[in-house]
Amino acid sequence: MSDVKFSIDGQEITATAGEKLLWVALEHDIFIPHLCGIREEQRPTAGCRLCFVEVEGQDRPVTACTLPVREGLVVKTRSPAVDRLVRTAFELLLSDHRLQCGKCPKNRACTLQQIARERGLKLKLTRLQHLQRDMPPVDDSTAVFAFDRSRCVLCGQCVHADQQVAKVGAIGFSCRGLNRTVSTFTGVDLEDSPCIKCGLCVKACPVGALYFLENK
Amino acid sequence: MSILSATETKYQALREKAEAKLAPLAAETIIWIGTATCGKAAGAVEVREAFKAELKNKGIDAEVREVGCMGHCYAEPLAVIAKPGFPAICYGKVDEGLVTRLVDDFLINDDPCYEFALVALEPNDVFPTFSDFPRGVYENKMILEQCGFIDPEDIDHYIAKDGYSALAKALNTEPQQVLAEINGANLRGRGGAGFPAGVKWEAVVKQVEKTRYVICNADEGDPGAFMDRSILESNPHLVVEGMIICAYAVGAGHGYLYIRSEYPQAIRRVQTALEQARERGLLGKSIMDNGFAFDLEVFTGAGAFVCGEGTALINSMEGKLGMPEHRPPRLSTAGLRGKPTVLNNVKTFAYVPLIMKKGADWFKNTGTAESPGTAVFALAGKVENPGLVEVPMGTTLRQLIYDVGQGIPGEKEFKAVQIGGPSGGCLPEASLDIPIDFDSLKEGGAIMGSGGIVVLDEDDCMVRIARYFLKFTQQESCGKCTFCRLGTKHMLDILTAITKGEGKLSDLETLRELAEDVQVGSLCNLGRTAPNPILTTLQYFYDEYKAHIEEKRCPSLMCPDLIAYFIAPEQCSKLCNACVGSCPVEAVYTRDDGLKAIDQEKCVKCDNCLKACPIEYNAVIKLSPPALLAEKEGSTK
Ligand SMILES: Cc1cc2nc3c(=O)[nH]c(=O)nc-3n(C[C@H](O)[C@H](O)[C@H](O)COP(=O)(O)O)c2cc1C
């Protein structure tokens, strides 16, 4: 594949044509918020809706994880329209995320905290109510790590680690809509699933939904 | 005389056979019953059986046959009697009593019982036909023309009425010419977005990959929409023929009709159609001996609304979760199994044989320059004559509602028209002169959608209507992307709070912001269009939202939490107990002085007492806000 020249926030960048902008930007230390992006995936999930950027000539922000770089592309990672979408998507995610950072094993290493810091966003709800709904209890059946659904942002990093990297297939997405969740097949405890406790899913989790039990 | 091609010879043979088979029917008495799902729901099966029983009992030689839907929902079940010597006559709201009457008076004696007739189907000197009614003047049936008039389970009916001649014509030309005709007609997709079909087909033709697919989208998930079902149940061959022509134009070897499993009768009739087409060499290895190979099969979808979205539909066909993907790639580059794929709506395919047969110019003679042809609507809600209607593009909403639908029943005032289903919007009185076409409706904030139209009157609360549609999209959201999964839920929660009188004015600002962001930020068009009912009602009916919030008042007296039922003592008869008897929770009681009253604590606002109170008293009234009750009750103590 040929190299192409383009710019992000005024910085001239050379990359392989067709690479997705998100990964090129991150390689150049340009921050773009993201949760669900997986570089190896042929077809990006594009589900978290955080990696919006502004592309010259396009009237709406586009997701960086799906944008192939091409010659002459002019990208801005910030604009009023981008900031507005990111703020809303972020607040929507927070409204369905148990927000007790002090008690969270991922405190200070959480991607949500990083996004808030980088983009000057609040780690609390300003316009929305927290969604009140029943959550399954924390699954700590393996004694090695635990899964707390109330912190899960449905990014799918753990599912990818389990299915594509570890090639185990203990967990996957199930249910639809608001009930969409990461679960074992038929929802049995992790201990009763094919899980081999390799811990790859835990390491992949950007928030505190999956965590090792010793440093709880 | 030119020498006929193999295709023409084959078609002529098919045609002659079909005509020969049907010719004797002209001399027989035939009773046609409309047994599309809509007819069946209204009792068509019972009517069919009643006719059969009566004919047998009375020893009459006549045949009972089934047809699809004529689109006159308000008059179902429908029966047509074709008796030699009389024009074919259509009867509406047929029941078993009328069946006996028709058999005795019309079939045995020669009285066609005009007092029960709806219309005659052929021009005659005695009785009006559809075209003599206002609806007939505005309607222009292209793809619905044969619906309800041919037997959908007998391919020969379709062939005898010129069916498959368009395919024969297409096969006699080059694929490029077919494409040119469709492009020339500017046929725009009827599944909602109005994308030009020819452009889509051409994109497939340009692909290097030679394995290509044609798929018909019959997922039809909009609540209240039934156009596609009706067409598949009433004239499946029209769609099949359109798909074969498309396959020829784009070089596809295989195709599918994606039909939701909630449409068992459509599935059955399409399968029958495919079998019969295959038997006659209209599908298979060498269609009409032309050498072109193509076959079709039905794929039964599980009926998720989002599976009507192209990429989700493909995923569901491939056995994956029925969830949308980011586009591009478009289906024309990478569709089913990664191969170039044409996906069109049922109606889009249905126009194709007509355009092939009559030409692009004929098609463009109807409708507007940018949206040629007709629009098919499932007209529902507060109109006199709901039904399946087909009008030229460019007809105004006012004409559709007042002339075709015959206006609002019962002296009520028009309030809004919801067009485009859950992805559409609500337009007010001031928008009624908007012409119905893809672009004008979009400007007005609604969309053409796939054709659902619901007319709303003064009794409909616009906040509740917005909430109704949002509840639908929220439940149908696949959950993959943040904006749709969580955004629709928050918008629904806000709307629910408002209808309960628990909203704040600042909620309206949040609602608008959320709606705009969900519109821009969602992954697929389900999320991107879900806010339309909210944004249009906020735009046109802001005062209703405000009344709910500031005065805890529902102007349409519809939101249960914001109304109270009250029995006006000066109107109550004391002697009648209708309201007391109608109450399912014993909230209505008789006071010591004989007047009736309602225990507000127990009342579940079911509306029964109001309906039960005899019209001469009209004593039960609805109040909003409920605070008005104190005043009223104070004055009666
Ligand atoms: C949530 C959603 C549901 C849809 N449902 C349908 C449907 O039931 N039938 C349909 O033809 N198109 C539906 N569409 C539109 C299709 O994605 C696609 O545009 C259409 O089938 C293309 O055909 P056309 O060009 O003939 O309109 C839906 C789109 C979305 C976003």
Side-chain angles (χ1 to χ4, degrees):
Chain A
M1 276 258 193
S2 58
D3 278 354
V4 288
K5 280 203 182 65
F6 60 98
S7 78
I8 306 178
D9 295 339
Q11 184 179 338
E12 284 297 324
I13 287 175
T14 308
T16 312
E19 269 229 68
K20 301 296 191 293
L21 182 88
L22 175 63
W23 310 109
V24 179
L26 293 172
E27 257 171 17
H28 287 80
D29 283 329
I30 299 169
F31 179 77
I32 296 175
H34 65 105
L35 287 167
C36 72
I38 290 165
R39 193 170 189 167
E40 305 81 72
E41 257 181 6
Q42 269 296 311
R43 209 154 184 184
T45 307
C48 74
R49 316 308 284 171
L50 287 170
C51 67
F52 283 106
V53 295
E54 189 104 7
V55 174
E56 202 176 86
Q58 294 198 19
D59 54 355
R60 290 178 164 195
V62 296
T63 41
C65 67
T66 55
L67 179 69
V69 297
R70 55 172 193 269
E71 187 67 37
L73 204 61
V74 180
V75 177
K76 283 196 294 185
T77 59
R78 302 288 296 267
S79 76
V82 166
D83 287 356
R84 176 173 168 175
L85 285 178
V86 173
R87 171 173 170 240
T88 300
F90 190 72
E91 189 169 352
L92 284 170
L93 286 168
L94 289 191
S95 76
D96 197 31
H97 173 81
R98 184 148 65 92
L99 265 175
Q100 287 170 311
C101 298
K103 291 188 186 159
C104 178
K106 200 78 174 184
N107 193 14
R108 290 170 201 287
C110 168
T111 306
L112 292 175
Q113 290 176 329
Q114 183 199 12
I115 294 169
R117 205 167 48 239
E118 293 274 354
R119 288 293 165 99
L121 296 169
K122 292 202 174 66
L123 273 167
K124 62 173 203 212
L125 300 173
T126 55
R127 295 170 291 173
L128 307 177
Q129 304 280 321
H130 199 269
L131 288 183
Q132 303 295 329
R133 56 208 196 94
D134 292 337
M135 284 287 177
V138 173
D139 180 352
D140 53 7
S141 58
T142 68
V144 178
F145 69 95
F147 176 49
D148 181 353
R149 171 67 182 87
S150 69
R151 293 204 189 98
C152 175
V153 290
L154 296 175
C155 67
Q157 298 290 347
C158 57
V159 174
H160 178 77
D162 169 77
Q163 298 185 352
Q164 305 301 326
V165 185
K167 305 226 180 278
V168 173
I171 52 173
F173 280 114
S174 64
C175 303
R176 299 174 67 81
L178 206 55
N179 296 324
R180 180 164 159 91
T181 189
V182 169
S183 80
T184 57
F185 187 60
T186 70
V188 297
D189 281 349
L190 282 160
E191 182 61 21
D192 302 323
S193 77
C195 172
I196 56 166
K197 298 169 205 164
C198 65
L200 286 180
C201 61
V202 182
K203 288 180 193 143
C205 181
V207 297
L210 281 159
Y211 51 93
F212 290 111
L213 282 170
E214 56 267 20
N215 55 351
K216 187 174 176 182
Chain B
M1 270 228 333
S2 65
I3 298 166
L4 291 184
S5 71
T7 308
E8 283 165 317
T9 316
K10 172 85 182 177
Y11 181 71
Q12 278 210 344
L14 285 176
R15 179 73 171 264
E16 279 160 19
K17 223 172 114 192
E19 281 170 358
K21 174 170 142 191
L22 298 180
L25 290 186
E28 283 177 38
T29 298
I30 301 180
I31 299 156
W32 304 95
I33 318 275
T35 58
T37 300
C38 43
K40 283 189 172 169
V45 172
E46 290 76 8
V47 170
R48 182 190 68 199
E49 293 312 308
F51 265 116
K52 283 188 176 163
E54 280 288 303
L55 295 177
K56 197 163 162 225
N57 284 345
K58 295 176 179 155
I60 300 166
D61 184 24
E63 214 180 321
V64 178
R65 288 189 166 231
E66 295 181 32
V67 287
C69 165
M70 278 189 239
H72 292 260
C73 303
Y74 58 92
E76 297 276 9
L78 287 161
V80 172
I81 299 185
K83 180 170 172 174
F86 292 88
I89 298 171
C90 174
Y91 302 87
K93 301 201 166 138
V94 183
D95 57 17
E96 287 165 22
L98 183 55
V99 169
T100 312
R101 186 76 193 271
L102 287 171
V103 171
D104 288 343
D105 290 6
F106 189 15
L107 297 188
I108 299 180
N109 301 306
D110 277 340
D111 170 13
C113 304
Y114 285 124
E115 63 273 35
F116 296 110
L118 198 61
V119 287
L121 299 185
E122 301 138 23
N124 65 88
D125 299 333
V126 258
F127 208 72
T129 61
F130 277 126
S131 54
D132 295 321
F133 289 91
R135 172 168 166 175
V137 174
Y138 285 93
E139 273 206 287
N140 179 343
K141 292 203 174 186
M142 286 187 171
I143 56 177
L144 298 183
E145 191 187 0
Q146 313 268 23
C147 290
F149 300 101
I150 59 172
D151 184 344
E153 298 188 24
D154 186 346
I155 190 173
D156 286 325
H157 279 235
Y158 182 70
I159 294 177
K161 293 207 174 175
D162 212 26
Y164 287 105
S165 70
L167 175 61
K169 188 170 165 189
L171 292 177
N172 253 341
T173 63
E174 293 302 311
Q176 299 87 294
Q177 274 168 280
V178 176
L179 205 56
E181 202 68 44
I182 298 299
N183 263 329
N186 188 16
L187 171 62
R188 296 176 66 173
R190 287 337 198 232
F195 191 81
V199 174
K200 203 184 266 189
W201 298 11
E202 220 158 15
V204 168
V205 172
K206 287 198 184 116
Q207 300 301 312
V208 184
E209 171 64 54
K210 292 289 178 254
T211 304
R212 297 161 182 178
Y213 295 105
V214 172
I215 301 175
C216 173
N217 190 343
D219 188 55
E220 198 168 47
D222 297 29
F226 50 84
M227 306 73 57
D228 296 353
R229 171 182 60 67
S230 194
I231 293 171
L232 291 177
E233 287 180 350
S234 308
N235 195 4
H237 286 288
L238 185 65
V239 180
V240 170
E241 186 179 2
M243 290 185 74
I244 307 174
I245 295 171
C246 169
Y248 178 69
V250 305
H254 205 85
Y256 299 85
L257 293 109
Y258 186 100
I259 312 178
R260 53 172 41 223
S261 58
E262 289 95 326
Y263 284 178
Q265 170 148 297
I267 292 172
R268 218 165 35 243
R269 285 189 173 166
V270 169
Q271 275 165 343
T272 306
L274 295 181
E275 275 162 35
Q276 295 180 351
R278 219 169 280 129
E279 273 166 24
R280 281 165 181 70
L282 297 166
L283 280 174
K285 292 219 165 60
S286 175
I287 294 178
M288 288 200 215
D289 297 338
N290 170 281
F292 169 61
F294 178 69
D295 214 334
L296 272 172
E297 64 187 283
V298 171
F299 185 95
T300 309
F305 175 59
V306 75
C307 284
E309 196 279 338
T311 55
L313 181 144
I314 297 292
N315 274 339
S316 114
M317 287 185 70
E318 292 176 351
K320 301 179 192 146
L321 286 178
M323 290 185 180
E325 303 282 346
H326 174 83
R327 294 197 232 196
R330 296 184 185 287
L331 301 191
S332 46
T333 7
L336 183 63
R337 303 178 196 120
K339 308 293 183 194
T341 301
V342 171
L343 175 72
N344 276 129
N345 174 259
V346 171
K347 290 170 276 332
T348 314
F349 283 121
Y351 286 104
V352 170
L354 307 177
I355 293 170
M356 270 321 289
K357 209 156 32 187
K358 305 183 184 183
D361 288 332
W362 164 82
F363 185 69
K364 284 194 289 190
N365 268 338
T366 303
T368 65
E370 294 306 317
S371 302
T374 55
V376 177
F377 289 108
L379 183 60
K382 307 288 178 56
V383 276
E384 276 295 344
N385 290 351
L388 191 63
V389 302
E390 181 169 7
V391 293
M393 290 274 187
T395 304
T396 64
L397 286 165
R398 193 183 299 282
Q399 288 167 325
L400 183 70
I401 296 166
Y402 287 94
D403 296 319
V404 180
Q406 291 290 288
I408 323 281
E411 322 241 313
K412 297 278 183 180
E413 218 171 292
F414 169 90
K415 186 185 273 180
V417 51
Q418 209 286 344
I419 171 161
S423 323
C426 292
L427 302 178
E429 165 80 34
S431 304
L432 280 183
D433 293 309
I434 291 185
I436 297 171
D437 65 68
F438 291 105
D439 312 304
S440 307
L441 286 174
K442 212 164 180 178
E443 274 166 40
I447 59 162
M448 179 77 93
S450 62
I453 285 210
V454 185
V455 180
L456 306 168
D457 72 8
E458 56 189 282
D459 294 336
D460 293 305
C461 165
M462 299 313 290
V463 185
R464 282 190 91 69
I465 295 291
R467 183 177 173 279
Y468 168 82
F469 283 106
L470 208 78
K471 183 154 188 164
F472 176 83
T473 31
Q474 190 267 322
Q475 285 175 343
E476 294 292 331
S477 166
C478 79
K480 185 172 174 181
C481 90
T482 304
F483 281 104
C484 185
R485 180 180 72 246
L486 298 167
T488 55
K489 173 66 177 150
H490 280 286
M491 292 192 287
L492 179 63
D493 285 353
I494 294 174
L495 288 174
T496 305
I498 294 174
T499 58
K500 288 187 170 169
E502 294 162 3
K504 305 183 295 292
L505 266 188
S506 63
D507 286 345
L508 294 183
E509 210 29 58
T510 308
L511 191 60
R512 190 193 306 276
E513 280 176 23
L514 264 181
E516 287 169 0
D517 290 348
V518 171
Q519 211 173 34
V520 180
S522 293
L523 172 63
C524 86
N525 276 338
L526 189 152
R528 286 184 201 152
T529 57
N532 287 350
I534 296 180
L535 288 168
T536 48
T537 48
L538 274 175
Q539 179 179 352
Y540 298 120
F541 301 96
Y542 191 77
D543 287 348
E544 284 199 32
Y545 280 90
K546 261 177 73 177
H548 282 75
I549 293 170
E550 292 186 324
E551 305 167 47
K552 313 277 174 236
R553 179 171 70 89
C554 174
S556 314
L557 304 172
M558 202 180 160
C559 293
D561 293 295
L562 299 185
I563 58 170
Y565 286 79
F566 175 70
I567 299 178
E570 65 278 13
Q571 275 158 269
C572 175
S573 100
K574 283 191 185 181
L575 298 175
C576 143
N577 259 328
C579 55
V580 177
S582 75
C583 181
V585 292
E586 297 181 358
V588 189
Y589 62 97
T590 308
R591 301 187 341 183
D592 294 341
D593 57 7
L595 290 169
K596 315 297 167 195
I598 298 172
D599 180 343
Q600 299 295 332
E601 296 285 304
K602 287 189 187 162
C603 175
V604 291
K605 312 197 178 155
C606 68
D607 218 39
N608 280 7
C609 55
L610 190 145
K611 290 201 193 93
C613 182
I615 198 151
E616 59 268 36
Y617 309 134
N618 249 340
V620 183
I621 51 174
K622 284 200 267 188
L623 301 170
S624 183
L628 288 177
L629 208 55
E631 207 176 289
K632 291 268 182 194
E633 279 178 343
S635 68
T636 70
K637 287 275 153 65

